[in-house]
Amino acid sequence: MSMKDGHGGNVHAAARELCRPVGNILDFSASINPLGPSPRALRAIGEGFSLLAHYPDPECWALRRSLASRWKLSPEQIVVGNGATELIHLLPRSLAIKEALIIGPTFSEYAHAVTRAGGRTRTLLADRREGYQPPLERAIRLFKSSRNGRGSIDAIVLCHPNSPTGQACEAAVVRSLVREADRLGIWTILDETFIEYCEERSMLSELTTFSRLVVLRSFTKFYALPGLRIGYLAGSEQAASLVRDLQPPWSVNTLAQVAAEASFSDRRHARRSLLCMEQERDRLVGLLGSVPGLTLFPSQANFLLVELPGSHQAVRITMALRRQGLLIRDCSCVPGLNHRTVRVAVRTRRENNRLVAALKGLLG
């Protein structure tokens, strides 16, 4: 499967193509917590069946209140959406973004959203020689050197930690970027979909300082609820209100709301998930590092960016693994990456062993 659509996780298409049940596909293309959903979330889903005879709460009030309490915000600063993707597509119209600077290589949906809203995008690419570290200092210099202080840029978009590279910046560097953008009247859209794996680098605590900062989060990756489609954003009350005004009614279903609230309250499952990821990611790095010719890049998230040996193309290896029922992300179509680049999620010990064995077989 290629990255032309910018997404992984289409196990349904693979199952149809391979004539296999979905349960027989190992999906390394979508970076979902290998421990699965919180047991507390699964119980909440079962108990929530009695609510299906009613419309969902259009305000998502209980969940917004829980999120606000944790992050010391007002519920009015939070918008819950049908996955973070819905919110990504609402933001350009809500905030009247005409030209966005996107830090890449990164998720394709940011550019799609701006373009669909009638805006334009510019991309500032990280350098492979620097391990794809997001070039935030270059972005700051670009702001400062613009002819009138900001040029035509009215928003900057940063995925942090970044997908598909896995890189994260020090909080102080991100704060400097946000401060400079805020001073120049530029919106910073910070996608923290994977931030649970390095929470100390989050900018949520900075929302009271910067009026033009919007932070996106998701219940898809760390909380393992991709099928329920739920995410949220936090920003100023004014920014949240602008987004909410354009959001379709009843965007988030009842089971998604109760499952997300239960997941968020389950600190035990969160601790187990972090420990599991730290240990298994390090182990997978070691296994992949033993495969001759592979180049691995540092990751603070639950996936690894891998560069194949020079004689191998990502599309061919991806398709060969697919025929074995193993899905990985072909990143060769991501601007800023080369034709040998793939992304693999960190899954369970047994599943990771199977992937590495298959890769060794294919790479000789």
Side-chain angles (χ1 to χ4, degrees), residues 180-332:
E180 187 64 20
D182 199 70
R183 184 181 72 82
L184 296 169
I186 296 171
W187 291 99
T188 300
I189 299 172
L190 194 60
D191 187 347
E192 293 189 343
T193 292
F194 297 98
I195 201 68
E196 287 86 0
Y197 294 104
C198 50
E199 190 74 59
E200 71 280 0
R201 304 184 191 221
S202 172
M203 286 292 111
L204 271 176
S205 63
E206 305 290 337
L207 287 171
T208 55
T209 305
F210 302 114
S211 62
R212 286 184 170 261
L213 171 63
V214 175
V215 177
L216 286 157
R217 288 217 173 178
S218 173
F219 285 94
T220 292
K221 312 299 184 180
F222 183 76
Y223 296 102
L225 297 174
L228 288 178
R229 309 307 307 133
I230 184 163
Y232 65 99
L233 67 76
S236 67
E237 290 191 13
Q238 180 186 13
S241 176
L242 290 170
V243 175
R244 204 175 290 117
D245 286 346
L246 290 182
Q247 189 175 29
W250 302 297
S251 177
V252 183
N253 73 72
T254 296
L255 297 185
Q257 293 184 41
V258 299
E261 187 178 4
S263 297
F264 195 63
S265 69
D266 194 344
R267 301 293 186 91
R268 182 173 180 271
H269 188 69
R271 288 192 296 270
R272 287 184 62 234
S273 298
L274 289 171
L275 180 61
C276 168
M277 183 53 55
E278 181 179 343
Q279 294 175 342
E280 191 56 26
R281 183 176 59 202
D282 288 348
R283 195 184 75 89
L284 182 57
V285 166
L287 290 175
L288 290 171
S290 70
V291 180
L294 287 187
T295 300
L296 277 70
F297 296 91
S299 174
Q300 283 80 43
N302 59 339
F303 55 81
L304 299 171
L305 189 73
V306 181
E307 198 172 89
L308 300 169
S311 60
H312 295 277
Q313 293 186 358
V315 64
R316 292 181 179 176
I317 295 300
T318 300
M319 293 308 297
L321 288 171
R322 185 182 180 89
R323 287 190 288 270
Q324 298 181 41
L326 302 170
L327 307 185
I328 66 172
R329 290 281 285 273
D330 171 7
C331 294
S332 60

Side-chain angles (χ1 to χ4, degrees), residues 336-351:
L337 299 179
N338 63 41
H339 68 282
R340 294 182 288 120
T341 314
V342 299
R343 196 194 80 174
V344 298
V346 180
R347 292 182 59 91
T348 66
R349 184 183 186 93
R350 180 180 177 184
E351 292 166 341

